[in-house]
Structure formats: C-alpha cells, structure tokens
Amino acid sequence: MTAADQDVADRPAGQRPGPEPRLELPYLDGLRGVAALVVALYHAYLSTGMRGDAYRDLGELGAVLGYGYLGVPVFIVLSGYVLMLPVVRDPGLRLSGGAVGYLRRRARRILPPYYAALLVSLLLIALVPAMQERSGTQWDTKLPVTPGGIASHLLLLHDLRPDWIGQINGPLWSIAVEWHIYFLMPLVLLPLWRRIPPGVVVAALLAATVLPPALGFARVSHVHPWLVALFACGMLAAQATVRTNWRLRGLRTTTWVLGATGAFCLLLWWQPLHSRPWASETLAGVVVACALVLAGRRAQSGAPPGGAVAFLQTRPVMLLGLASYSIYLLHSPLLALVNLLTVGWGLPTWGQYLLMTFGAVPLALAACAGFYWLVERRFKNTHQRSVTAQPDPHHPPR
C-alpha cells in the first residue's frame, strides 16, 4: 500500500438504507501481512552489501526475491476490492457519506501514519551521519534529500518526478500513487461504473495503461499508471464476489492456468521481466483479483476455507496483517540503516544477506510493530480496533 494497507473504512453499512450486513473476509488481513513481508524481504535482499552485490553473487535468489515488488500491485488490488465491497452492496453504487465523507475517512486512515513515518525517516537521516552521504549501497538511490523532495512528499506529489520519487524513503512513492487513485474512484471510476459495463471499463483501463509502455512509450512509467487499472480490477473482483448471480464459468480453471503459467514465465525470464514491471505487476494483479473472487464466493457459501485461505487466517499471519501498513511505511530506511552499520564488517555477500534477512528484518518488524501501537492503531475505526483486540479468524467481530 503500496502499499500501501487497506482497511474497510468505507463500509459502515448500518448508516445506509437497505444494504446487507457487513461481509467478513478475515483472510484479507493475512494477505496484506504476507504482501508486506514479501516487500520487506525483497528490500533486505536489495540492500545487502554494496549496490548490486546481491544480484551479482546471489543471482539465483534474485529470480524469486527480485519479484518482491509485486507486493505493491497486491496492495492496490486489495485496496480496490475492500473499498468497493460496501459500494456494490448499495443498490445505487453510492459511497457512504458521499465523495467528501469517503475522502475524509481515507485521509484520516492513511495520512497521519504516513506523515509520522516520513518524519521518522527524515529524523534518521538527520541524526545518522552514515545515512547522509553516498556509500555505494542501495541507500544512495534515496539521496540527496532536497527541499523539492521534502515538499513533494509533504504534498504527496513526489511520484510526479523521477528525481523526487525515490528520495527519503523509497516505498512511499506508492502511497502517493494510491492517494491519487482514491480521488479517481468517486470522481471518475464510479461514474463510469454506473454507465458502462464494468468489464469494459477495466479492459479499457488495462489497454490504456499497459499498451504504451509495452510499445516503448515509457515517459510516465515511473508512476506505474497500470496500477489504476489494477485498482479497478479489485473493484470488479468485489462486484463479482457479491453479485453471486453472475455466472463465472471457468474462473477457477482460468485462475490456476494463468497463475501457473505466469509463475513459470516469471521464473524462466526473470531478468527481462524485472525490467518490465508493467507486465509482471499486471499479471500478478489480475491473478490476485481472480483469486479474491474465488475465495470470496467460497466464504459466502459457508464452505470451510481452503489451504491458502486457512493459512492467511492463522493468528500470526493476521497479526502481521494488522501492522502491514506500518511495516510498509518504515521497513526500508531501517533495513538500510542496518546494512550501512554492518557493511564494513567484511562479511561475504551471502553472510551479509543472512544478516539482513534473519537479523535486520526481524528487528525492522519489531520496530514497525512499535510504530503501529504508538501511531497507526489510533487512526483505525471501531471495527478495525475490535479486530486488533481479537484477531481470531474463527470468531470474527460483528
């Protein structure tokens, strides 16, 4: 959320006439947690030693860990999914409280933790000399910190320029992208949704955002415009989940075939696909959207959860999901700090990688959990606080 972390802040169903009771899908928190952990493991690999060491000496791991950035499209699809669920259950496809109320809820949920994480990142840079100068590590891509970079981060406009987008705290670029998508939902996407078949809307967005970079027109590819289409895929998945009268013949087979074929291609041609995120992110997002429909319909039918869903509903994974937004916001500078402090120890690349993965990642997760309890949880709604108090998938809050 990325990543950003998405919560069902826009589904106070009891405040609207006629909608059905809230649809509880506790595995969504678990999926957020897994996505956040995958991103953190990716950045641990990327931050290992000097810049490029991991890909040079541990290339085999890069074929898998190098796709850690796919956690971002997962967050985006989830965002569209959970924000659309209550809208679909309203006969008029209306947002509770209108566009203003929706944006106010999104701002309260997303912005205070974001600004707190931005402040922590700036304080780390100001207080730790090693984080202020180029060192030949991956952290160099976050420097220098310029007045324009700081101002653009404060205004959530840093995704608009390549020289701003990576400053200070790299993963924050996707928060700006998602923030802009929030405005598109009530102002553009939902008005189109009410007038044009949603499948046509999604197909048009995919074509408009994926074809230009595929054809070599990559002028704005740094903002990953296809994420708008993936957000819409999440919206469509929510509608397909709730509208059980939609017959989706072959969806299960299509999902498995597309997922298996995609995984094979991603592993076989990992080097070219790493440099073509429009392809890998779109593929991952579409597969996740299809899987969300299958899991959501199964949950509504009362069938017991399958293997993957059951895993996502285990207590440790759901607890990880509760802090997933905090993890996404803060893990990157913390991992970079550990690498900067230890890179002079002279460890071989594999030793530095093990230190980062099994030492730095747990430390970063612990620090992010502290940030969650001190900051993020204060900005969750009543439903989310009840989940925090009792993250038990067998007894979801009502």
Side-chain angles (χ1 to χ4, degrees):
M1 152 148 70
T2 80
D5 179 12
Q6 292 303 320
D7 303 286
V8 193
D10 295 308
R11 50 179 193 176
Q15 297 178 12
R16 300 195 306 268
E20 302 172 24
R22 188 196 313 274
L23 177 62
E24 298 288 356
L25 301 173
Y27 56 82
L28 297 180
D29 276 329
L31 183 56
R32 292 189 193 99
V34 170
L37 181 60
V38 165
V39 172
L41 291 173
Y42 164 60
H43 285 138
Y45 173 82
L46 205 62
S47 299
T48 294
M50 306 304 287
R51 189 177 183 185
D53 280 359
Y55 277 112
R56 185 192 68 231
D57 300 332
L58 306 171
E60 296 79 6
L61 283 174
V64 177
L65 294 177
Y67 284 116
Y69 63 84
L70 294 182
V72 173
V74 172
F75 279 125
I76 294 294
V77 171
L78 271 171
S79 177
Y81 187 80
V82 298
L83 293 176
M84 189 63 177
L85 279 176
V87 176
V88 175
R89 298 167 81 82
D90 183 283
L93 295 180
R94 296 182 297 266
L95 288 162
S96 175
V100 173
Y102 153 80
L103 290 172
R104 184 184 297 116
R105 292 190 298 274
R106 287 288 85 204
R108 185 183 187 279
R109 177 67 187 91
I110 297 300
L111 295 186
Y114 165 81
Y115 284 121
L118 179 62
L119 176 61
V120 171
S121 301
L122 288 170
L123 285 175
L124 279 174
I125 295 171
L127 297 175
V128 181
M131 302 189 78
Q132 300 167 12
E133 301 177 357
R134 295 184 182 276
S135 57
T137 68
Q138 184 66 20
W139 179 249
D140 289 357
T141 61
K142 312 303 180 288
L143 301 175
V145 176
T146 65
I150 295 174
S152 63
H153 276 72
L154 290 172
L155 298 173
L156 283 103
L157 297 175
H158 50 287
D159 58 325
L160 300 183
R161 281 180 43 169
D163 57 329
W164 290 343
I165 197 168
Q167 287 187 33
I168 305 171
N169 182 338
L172 297 187
W173 72 269
S174 65
I175 307 301
V177 171
E178 192 165 1
W179 178 244
H180 300 158
I181 295 175
Y182 287 157
F183 286 84
L184 291 178
M185 184 178 181
L187 300 180
V188 177
L189 296 177
L190 282 178
L192 291 174
W193 222 263
R194 299 183 187 107
R195 294 168 175 81
I196 303 174
V200 175
V201 176
V202 171
L205 285 172
L206 285 170
T209 57
V210 171
L211 285 179
L215 296 174
F217 301 99
R219 188 172 181 178
V220 296
S221 289
H222 63 280
V223 299
H224 295 221
W226 49 88
L227 293 180
V228 177
L230 294 183
F231 184 91
C233 284
M235 293 172 59
L236 181 59
Q239 194 162 6
T241 297
V242 174
R243 301 285 171 83
T244 53
N245 59 319
W246 286 11
R247 294 190 176 183
L248 304 175
R249 294 177 180 175
L251 179 62
R252 181 178 298 277
T253 301
T254 301
T255 302
W256 278 105
V257 171
L258 187 61
T261 304
F264 176 79
C265 293
L266 291 175
L267 291 176
L268 185 63
W269 296 297
W270 67 274
Q271 289 182 320
L273 285 173
H274 278 183
S275 61
R276 293 172 174 82
W278 57 267
S280 55
E281 291 185 2
T282 301
L283 174 61
V286 170
V287 171
V288 168
C290 292
L292 288 175
V293 177
L294 293 175
R297 287 195 165 195
R298 182 180 177 88
Q300 289 187 98
S301 71
V309 172
F311 169 74
L312 294 175
Q313 293 184 179
T314 58
R315 185 179 179 87
V317 178
M318 289 187 65
L319 286 172
L320 190 67
L322 289 172
S324 58
Y325 186 40
S326 293
I327 293 170
Y328 190 82
L329 287 173
L330 268 183
H331 75 276
S332 183
L334 297 175
L335 294 176
L337 175 60
V338 174
N339 185 62
L340 287 169
L341 295 178
T342 60
V343 71
W345 291 1
L347 296 174
T349 303
W350 64 266
Q352 187 71 14
Y353 167 72
L354 292 177
L355 173 65
M356 292 296 297
T357 300
F358 298 103
V361 169
L363 287 174
L365 293 180
C368 292
F371 179 86
Y372 169 80
W373 283 101
L374 291 173
V375 179
E376 183 191 349
R377 72 185 181 97
R378 301 175 184 275
F379 300 96
K380 289 193 168 187
N381 62 28
T382 303
H383 170 71
Q384 295 150 4
R385 291 194 199 100
S386 67
V387 174
T388 303
Q390 181 68 21
D392 186 346
H394 303 294
H395 299 88
R398 295 293 178 182

